Amino acid sequence: YLGSADWTLDDSKIIYSRNRNESTDDKDLILYDFIANKKITLTDSGNNYSAKFSPDNTIVYCQEVNMSSNIYLMNLDGSNKQLIIPNAGNPVWSPGGKRIAYISSGDLKSPQIFIACSDGRNCKQLTKTYLPCWDSGFPTFGNYNPQWSLDGGKIVYQSDVNDGLPEIYIMNSDGSNQVRLTNTDRRNEDPVISSDGEYIIFSSNRDLSYNFDIFIMGNDGKNQNPLSKYAGDDSFPVIVTK
């Protein structure tokens, strides 16, 4: 496995997950420096993934041990590893690097969106909606995949609390004014906000003539239109900011 790559702001380095060896599914975090043409393995235990660079190149990441995911910080060279948020995952830096949005079950025992300071202090739960799964063998439906607007004032996210299928919502970064933007009987997911904050790009399989396509809509949910229409899947859009 190779995946979950993230770039430094100056485009000089990437970090990604790679299987430790052929006998385990556990992954290590690898830093690749394009200038020095050098790879550095930053972890050597647990299952490590979802690493992200802050603006000052502090690394936040997840480590799973005994089926429990926790959020850690470390320096660019892998030193000073610190557990900052237990029982949590999917960390995403705010644009200024002062806050982290992440997923944790909290008291609801379902995926919910939280934010915290960059060192893990002052945790606050933003979403509190959930839907019990009709199959007791599967987890409860909730809210996940938070993505910040460039000014840090909004968070767009997915929620499957209505019928078990993901729909896209937007809210203020303090959790207020949660608004549903999509409403179809298919999947709407992977939302990201454009650099100017005016548009949301996402993937959807609402058109039965195709698989997944990339869609665009206003930040109020209006004018939802496809940007791609191909027989294959188009998903996981990324906004490139220069």
Side-chain angles (χ1 to χ4, degrees), residues 29 47-51 60-64 69-72 88-91:
L29 296 175
N47 186 25
N48 305 275
Y49 52 92
S50 296
V60 66
Y61 67 102
C62 289
Q63 184 180 90
E64 184 179 289
S69 175
N70 305 292
I71 296 177
Y72 284 76
N90 191 206

Side-chain angles (χ1 to χ4, degrees), residues 116-185:
C117 294
S118 60
D119 59 2
R121 293 180 299 115
N122 301 323
C123 299
K124 178 182 179 181
Q125 184 172 344
L126 302 186
T127 61
K128 298 180 180 180
T129 55
Y130 68 96
L131 174 70
C133 184
W134 45 83
D135 188 329
S136 60
F138 289 87
T140 301
F141 298 113
N143 305 278
Y144 51 102
N145 196 14
Q147 300 292 331
W148 297 85
S149 63
L150 194 61
D151 64 3
K154 299 282 186 180
I155 293 176
V156 65
Y157 63 101
Q158 294 172 216
S159 178
D160 47 19
V161 302
N162 299 287
D163 55 8
L165 290 173
E167 300 286 357
I168 295 172
Y169 285 67
I170 194 170
M171 63 181 167
N172 295 330
S173 60
D174 63 0
S176 63
N177 196 28
Q178 297 178 12
V179 179
R180 180 177 177 176
L181 300 180
T182 60
N183 188 357
T184 72
D185 58 359

Side-chain angles (χ1 to χ4, degrees), residues 3-53:
S4 303
D6 189 57
W7 290 86
T8 54
L9 285 180
D10 64 1
D11 291 343
S12 67
K13 302 174 182 67
I14 62 170
I15 190 169
Y16 60 93
S17 296
R18 183 185 68 189
N19 279 109
R20 184 168 298 129
N21 54 58
E22 295 179 354
S23 64
T24 179
D25 289 331
D26 285 352
K27 295 174 284 292
D28 282 319
L29 296 175
I30 312 299
L31 181 79
Y32 181 70
D33 187 325
F34 286 92
I35 305 301
N37 192 24
K38 182 179 181 181
K39 293 180 183 178
I40 304 172
T41 301
L42 301 180
T43 58
D44 58 10
S45 63
N47 186 25
N48 305 275
Y49 52 92
S50 296
K52 300 286 189 301
F53 292 109

